[in-house]
Amino acid sequence: MLAEGVGGTVWRARTADGRSTVVKRLSEQAAPDAPSALAWLTWRGGAGAVRLLGAEGEWQWLEDGGDRTLSALLQDEGDEAATHIAADVLRALHAPSDQSFAGLQTMTDRFAALWIEAERQGGLFAEAAAVARQRVAEDAPVRPLHGDLHHDNILHGPRGWLAIDPHGVLGDPAYDAANLLYKPLERQDLRTDPARARRLAEALGPAVGRPAQAVMAWGFCHACLSAAWHLEDENHEEAERSLAVARAIRRALEG
């Protein structure tokens, strides 16, 4: 077994000609997102992301993206080096594709938990919901997005750095960069540094053709969305950690 988590269980497998591939069995929790994830992988066709080799039901067969995560590189070489690679991956993911796309999750559906907490609690959740609705309504580009790009979803292997585990979302390209402001989860010192949030937004925004302000705005919204997800799971400690990130990004936006 290669990995096991909320998304499912992953094994390495070899083809008849000796190639290393990955077999993934989705968890019950991850299964509802599978159609949009598969649609995005098909649309991407291996450009900047692992190739989808096959899928049936709860099972997926994928290209082996490698062993080294961007989180490991950040630990060894620092945040600046990791950000540079993340920008390169984003450029590859947002390059034009000849493939058609359909079946991606909308941003309205993606943020369902935030709408609920905004009504229930108000405060920072309501502020983030207002920003998200404004961003959805504005005249920004709308493209297929990975939807969950972060330091543990970028791997290095034979084809270089590739993205894995997409959600498959249709929306503002700035959102694809925004989650990187929220990660890595174990580095609360980085996540709650407003200067770091601005630095990443300024580095990643050009990779998706969007201004740093848009990346930070979506970063603020995504941190509050993550807090809402944690509250759904009754994990109040992680919700507070997420809200601390949201406050830091908001300070960066105001600075």
Side-chain angles (χ1 to χ4, degrees), residues 68 70 72-88 151 161 199-200 204:
R68 194 180 191 201
L70 194 60
L73 183 134
L74 187 153
Q75 181 176 346
D76 294 341
E77 301 183 28
D79 195 31
E80 184 176 351
T83 302
H84 179 77
I85 290 169
D88 287 343
H151 297 75
W161 291 98
R199 185 171 64 252
L200 261 64
L204 300 175

Side-chain angles (χ1 to χ4, degrees), residues 10 63 65 69 158 204 248:
V10 180
E63 175 185 6
T69 67
L204 300 175

Side-chain angles (χ1 to χ4, degrees), residues 32-82:
D33 289 331
S36 56
L38 294 176
W40 184 89
L41 283 168
T42 301
W43 171 77
R44 204 60 244 151
V50 293
R51 294 186 177 98
L52 175 65
L53 304 177
E56 184 173 348
E58 63 189 358
W59 294 93
Q60 296 177 1
W61 185 29
L62 303 154
E63 175 185 6
D64 188 346
D67 286 312
R68 194 180 191 201
T69 67
L70 194 60
S71 286
L73 183 134
L74 187 153
Q75 181 176 346
D76 294 341
E77 301 183 28
D79 195 31
E80 184 176 351

Side-chain angles (χ1 to χ4, degrees), residues 139-151:
D139 188 24
V142 174
R143 297 178 192 152
L145 312 177
H146 179 285
D148 192 32
L149 194 69
H150 56 73
H151 297 75

Side-chain angles (χ1 to χ4, degrees), residues 5 28 197 204 215-216 238 246:
E28 185 176 343
L204 300 175
V215 175
M216 288 188 288
E238 281 301 319

Side-chain angles (χ1 to χ4, degrees), residues 5 11 28 35 42 45 57 59 72 81 101 111 133 150 154 165 197 216 239:
W11 297 266
E28 185 176 343
T42 301
W59 294 93
F101 62 87
F111 277 79
R133 286 194 169 99
H150 56 73
I154 300 175
D165 291 344
M216 288 188 288

Side-chain angles (χ1 to χ4, degrees), residues 106-116 132 175 218 221-222 225:
T106 68
M107 292 295 278
T108 299
D109 288 342
R110 175 78 168 159
F111 277 79
L114 180 63
W115 315 140
I116 292 171
Y175 183 67
W218 279 118
C221 296
H222 181 76
L225 173 61

